[in-house]
Amino acid sequence: MTSVEKVQNEIVEELSLFSDWIEKYEYLIELGKDEIDFNKKFMKDEFLINGCQSKVWLYAKQKNSKITFHAYSDAIMTKGIIALLIKVFSNQSPDDIINSKLEFIDKIGLKSHLSATRANGLMSMIKQIKIYAIGFKEKNG
Amino acid sequence: MIDFEKIRSSFPILDVKVNDNKLVYFDNAATTQTPTQVTNSIRDYFNKQNSNIHRGVHHLSNISTEDFEQSRKKVKEFIGAEKEEEIVFTKGTTDSINLVATSFQKFLKSGDEILISEMEHHSNIVPWQLCAEKTGAKLKVVSVTKEGEIDIDHLEKLLNKKTKILSITHISNTLGTINPITEITKLARKFDTKVFIDGAQAIAHQKVNVTELDVDFYCFSAHKLYGPTGVGILYGKEEILEKLPPYQGGGEMIEMVTFEKTTYAKLPSKFEAGTPNISGVIALSKAIEFIEDINLGLIFEYEAMLLNHYNEKSNKLEYYEPFGTSLNKSAIASFNLKKVHHYDIGVLLDNMGVAVRTGHHCTQPLHKKFNLAGTIRASFGIYNTKNEIDYFFDCLSRAYKMLY
């Protein structure tokens, strides 16, 4: 099991404790309200992933052989899901990120948030995370 | 009196459960639901008479052609047009606007002006931008006041003899404002400016009579009129439609084709290239019958009562921020809740079974003017109830408490 899969399983386990959608969403809202490691100077258009409704800003840094991701959204629900995605993808190697399959979103019943309407920009965010990983991999040769 | 039970029972979709909650459908400005009269018509068409129209000599083609043309007659009477030739079937409101914005290019030259307003839907902005780019005409934009009304003084200032066409919405899909079309048309007439009205949000909510309004063009979609998607109507005064060149070429719209020259069919076929949405057009007549059976006057009163009830509830919420406060409004309510993102509210309401629209509702320039990233929009139809509005406000305060 890669460490990306391991973190995903942990999240699925954690969220399975909630008995209904309200508890689950309240948890996401709490996550969304938490302070996050995001430098506001990156809140500009070149880091913006435009959803139709909520906005997501994303940047990445390389630490040794691992990548860390930092993201922010103007909507709390989106920010809560972002926190989960960051948990999954941060401090992972480029290869693990590139080869990862994102199954936890479906398992925790949040797939509608990644729907084709692209309302919240999360789908594009995941794509952008992989593009960052490919970029860092190429740079490292 | 409206027979409410009968109306509700015509919409089985209203019994759909969302996340174990009964669906509350408040997204009628995006699309209205279709009654069984309409869905049965579509089913029957394909089971009993599917064929191509205006061409065949066989039985199926004949009855379908007849029903199709009956529907045109029905639309003509419904909107008070003078002739069936003035009713063109299109794919929808957007298609109708594109048709005119393209064909009208023939009458525009560099320096001419096209007038729209700040409250227009993107569909009533972009086709005119394309038209302006192509012809060198200038696109002028009438301001909207802070209450969400057309600034008539500004409109008067902008109108001049270079204004060849003015295109304005009858009812704003975001603000709900009912625009004074008669007054606007009178002003436009002074300069011989052609008047195009986007009636998408009006047609199912109040009686529309294009002859009384004296507009040159009026358009709307079947799917906002309890009919199917993929069918639109363009009304145009005969004398103007006669002068406009065809929009698209193909079958149906020709009189005679040779490789050297093609002559075009008479109105309205000139603008109906290709096989149309036959089942949809026929089903539209059932939607119109459905509405006429209820009576548009009563529908208007009923929806005004719903909006009133809604406003009484929303006025009590100190964190409710309305967008569009004109006194002359259709049953559309856009708003934000203080310090909360519209998307978050939309997601939580959805989980409680309430369907609303969130975002910019295809009016980005309007939202931008008032410095809003987006809003939440509740819009009502004939099957909505006061109880649903009460439930909506319960959900809204629950959602707000969760987020704030």
Side-chain angles (χ1 to χ4, degrees), chain A residues 21-22 25-26 29-30 33 52-55 74-78 112-113 119-120 122, chain B residues 19 21 341-344 347-348 350-352 357-360 373 398 401-404:
Chain A
W21 75 270
I22 293 187
Y25 276 47
E26 276 171 347
I29 290 166
E30 286 316 310
K33 285 179 182 170
C52 196
Q53 302 197 12
S54 58
K55 290 176 177 170
D74 53 353
I76 289 182
M77 296 287 299
T78 309
S112 63
H113 290 274
N120 50 26
L122 283 173
Chain B
N19 205 16
N21 298 292
H341 198 282
H342 53 86
Y343 175 77
D344 290 324
V347 169
L348 294 177
D350 172 50
N351 269 281
M352 301 176 197
R357 176 84 185 262
T358 59
H360 51 63
R398 270 169 72 199
K401 273 184 203 126
M402 281 175 79
L403 290 163
Y404 191 64

Side-chain angles (χ1 to χ4, degrees), chain B residues 11 13 25 27-35 204-205 221-229 291 303 380-383:
Chain B
F11 293 89
I13 200 168
Y25 187 77
D27 197 16
N28 293 285
T31 202
T32 47
Q33 297 302 341
T34 39
H205 306 280
S221 300
H223 75 94
K224 293 196 203 299
L225 180 65
Y226 306 99
T229 51
I291 282 183
E303 290 176 358
F380 310 112
I382 186 59
Y383 34 66

Side-chain angles (χ1 to χ4, degrees), chain B residues 95-323:
Chain B
D95 193 33
S96 299
I97 300 173
N98 275 284
L99 189 162
V100 175
T102 305
S103 291
F104 200 77
Q105 288 171 11
K106 187 181 171 187
F107 305 110
L108 294 174
K109 56 181 190 306
S110 179
D112 283 344
E113 291 175 8
I114 301 163
L115 199 53
I116 60 171
S117 87
E118 282 179 334
M119 68 167 80
E120 298 313 313
H121 188 284
H122 296 163
S123 291
N124 200 23
I125 301 174
V126 185
W128 300 111
Q129 282 175 332
L130 292 169
C131 172
E133 265 171 37
K134 202 88 185 215
T135 57
K138 267 190 222 138
L139 190 67
K140 297 274 181 173
V141 186
V142 182
S143 296
V144 166
T145 65
K146 66 179 193 310
E147 291 78 21
E149 294 175 347
I150 298 251
D151 182 341
I152 294 289
D153 291 341
H154 191 224
L155 177 83
E156 271 195 274
K157 239 177 245 167
L158 289 180
L159 272 169
N160 67 79
K161 61 181 189 324
K162 287 182 288 184
T163 318
K164 298 298 175 207
I165 191 162
L166 167 159
S167 187
I168 284 196
T169 189
H170 194 163
I171 292 177
S172 161
N173 75 315
T174 301
L175 303 157
T177 314
I178 304 172
N179 288 322
I181 300 304
T182 312
E183 188 183 347
I184 290 171
T185 305
K186 271 188 195 140
L187 293 171
R189 289 287 172 244
K190 287 186 198 165
F191 301 98
D192 203 22
T193 302
K194 297 286 177 266
V195 176
F196 186 108
I197 301 299
D198 166 2
Q201 297 298 339
I203 196 71
H205 306 280
Q206 63 178 71
K207 188 72 195 152
V208 170
N209 185 306
V210 290
T211 308
E212 277 169 23
L213 288 174
D214 191 31
V215 294
D216 299 294
F217 301 100
Y218 195 96
C219 68
F220 55 93
S221 300
H223 75 94
K224 293 196 203 299
L225 180 65
Y226 306 99
T229 51
V231 177
I233 279 84
L234 170 68
Y235 158 82
K237 280 189 175 162
E238 188 185 24
E239 49 168 302
I240 303 170
L241 286 182
E242 285 288 5
K243 287 181 197 149
L244 288 184
Y247 171 47
Q248 290 174 328
E252 188 77 42
M253 53 76 72
I254 53 96
E255 183 186 57
M256 180 86 82
V257 178
T258 66
F259 286 114
E260 290 70 39
K261 183 170 172 61
T262 293
T263 51
Y264 306 121
K266 292 196 167 52
L267 288 176
S269 302
K270 183 170 88 175
F271 294 108
E272 293 180 355
T275 299
N277 184 344
I278 305 167
S279 62
V281 166
I282 295 172
L284 167 63
S285 71
K286 303 295 170 196
I288 293 175
E289 277 167 23
F290 168 78
I291 282 183
E292 284 183 326
D293 278 352
I294 305 172
N295 180 309
L296 266 166
L298 287 180
I299 291 177
F300 183 79
E301 275 173 33
Y302 179 75
E303 290 176 358
M305 181 279 291
L306 285 181
L307 184 67
N308 232 340
H309 183 69
Y310 180 96
N311 288 338
E312 276 170 20
K313 298 285 256 186
S314 67
N315 284 341
K316 286 183 194 144
L317 297 182
E318 42 95 23
Y319 50 82
Y320 184 95
E321 296 171 329
F323 185 37

Side-chain angles (χ1 to χ4, degrees), chain A residues 71-131:
Chain A
Y72 183 84
S73 174
D74 53 353
I76 289 182
M77 296 287 299
T78 309
K79 205 161 152 250
I81 298 174
I82 282 176
L84 294 179
L85 289 171
I86 299 269
K87 217 176 191 174
V88 170
F89 287 117
S90 260
N91 296 311
Q92 306 285 5
S93 71
D95 273 329
D96 278 356
I97 296 167
I98 295 165
N99 299 324
S100 66
K101 282 200 187 77
L102 217 53
E103 282 161 349
F104 81 103
I105 293 280
D106 199 6
K107 285 185 185 152
I108 60 179
L110 293 174
K111 206 180 176 186
S112 63
H113 290 274
L114 300 176
S115 73
T117 60
R118 287 171 293 139
N120 50 26
L122 283 173
M123 209 60 206
S124 320
M125 175 179 166
I126 294 166
K127 204 181 262 174
Q128 193 59 41
I129 283 174
K130 293 207 171 184
I131 290 171

